[in-house]
Amino acid sequence: MLTLFHAPWSRSGRIVWLMEEIGAPCEIEYVDIIRAQTASGRRDPANLHPDGKVPALLHDGALVTESAAIALYLTDLFPAADLGAPVGSPERAAYVTWLAWTAGEMEPAYWARISGQTETDPVAKARYDQVNARILTALEHGPYLMGHRFTAVDVMVGSAMAWGREFAPKSELMDRWLARITDRPANLLATAKDGTPPVMAEVA
């Protein structure tokens, strides 16, 4: 049995999307998370994530956390969905690299852009430029980030890019890719399941 611990309008939405793409039965447990905007520090006892965050996936008693790890776990668990790359396949190296790169390089680079760090720190600006160059180079070689087929990499990167599109460079190539993936039926279903936006409590 699969249970996804998910907070509406959070990063765990990408895993809701991925589960819809896979098509496997999954129970969604809607939980609260510790949000910086509330400064409450209260934890939801129903949320099994050890840090009080999301996503967290419970599979037959085994807990997996962190989006990249969950994406890898799910695509290995359901190879017939053809959203990953099995061990020993020619695409495996690129697949696991993209997943790790999303969390380790892309997201920090975009957070630096969002927070304004790229305006004052040349190292942060260079990292942000490198991230965009890598995405655009990949899209020049195929309709998806790994070439001819849609994978969990498109879910991971695309969900972040769709949310932070205003912070990305202008690019028709990127816009066409985002439209291609976000218009997929599974993403539309996932959006409907995402839930109600959280009500941010005032900081005391």
Side-chain angles (χ1 to χ4, degrees), residues 2-5 12 14-16 18-19 22 49 54-58 63-77 95 99 152 156:
L2 290 165
T3 302
L4 175 66
F5 295 86
S12 57
R14 70 182 87 180
I15 305 302
V16 179
L18 182 58
M19 287 304 311
I22 290 172
H49 193 295
V54 289
L57 181 74
L58 189 65
L63 185 67
V64 190
T65 66
E66 315 316 317
S67 294
I70 292 172
L72 181 61
Y73 187 88
L74 286 172
T75 53
D76 282 356
L77 187 63
Y95 178 63
L99 291 180
M156 290 286 290

Side-chain angles (χ1 to χ4, degrees), residues 105-120:
E105 291 294 330
M106 179 198 166
E107 291 183 355
Y110 263 76
W111 178 246
R113 171 71 175 83
I114 293 166
S115 65
Q117 187 180 353
T118 56
E119 302 301 316
T120 58

Side-chain angles (χ1 to χ4, degrees), residues 6-101:
H6 164 65
W9 286 37
S10 72
R11 291 182 181 181
S12 57
R14 70 182 87 180
I15 305 302
V16 179
W17 179 6
L18 182 58
M19 287 304 311
E20 289 296 326
E21 293 284 356
I22 290 172
C26 179
E27 179 181 333
I28 298 179
E29 182 77 22
Y30 293 89
V31 296
D32 291 328
I33 58 176
I34 299 173
R35 297 178 185 269
Q37 296 96 323
T38 66
S40 67
R42 292 189 298 271
R43 288 196 54 160
D44 184 346
N47 187 359
L48 297 190
H49 193 295
D51 300 323
K53 300 177 181 180
V54 289
L57 181 74
L58 189 65
H59 177 223
D60 292 342
L63 185 67
V64 190
T65 66
E66 315 316 317
S67 294
I70 292 172
L72 181 61
Y73 187 88
L74 286 172
T75 53
D76 282 356
L77 187 63
F78 298 101
D82 198 30
L83 295 168
V87 174
S89 72
E91 293 181 308
R92 181 69 174 191
Y95 178 63
V96 296
T97 297
W98 271 109
L99 291 180
W101 175 87

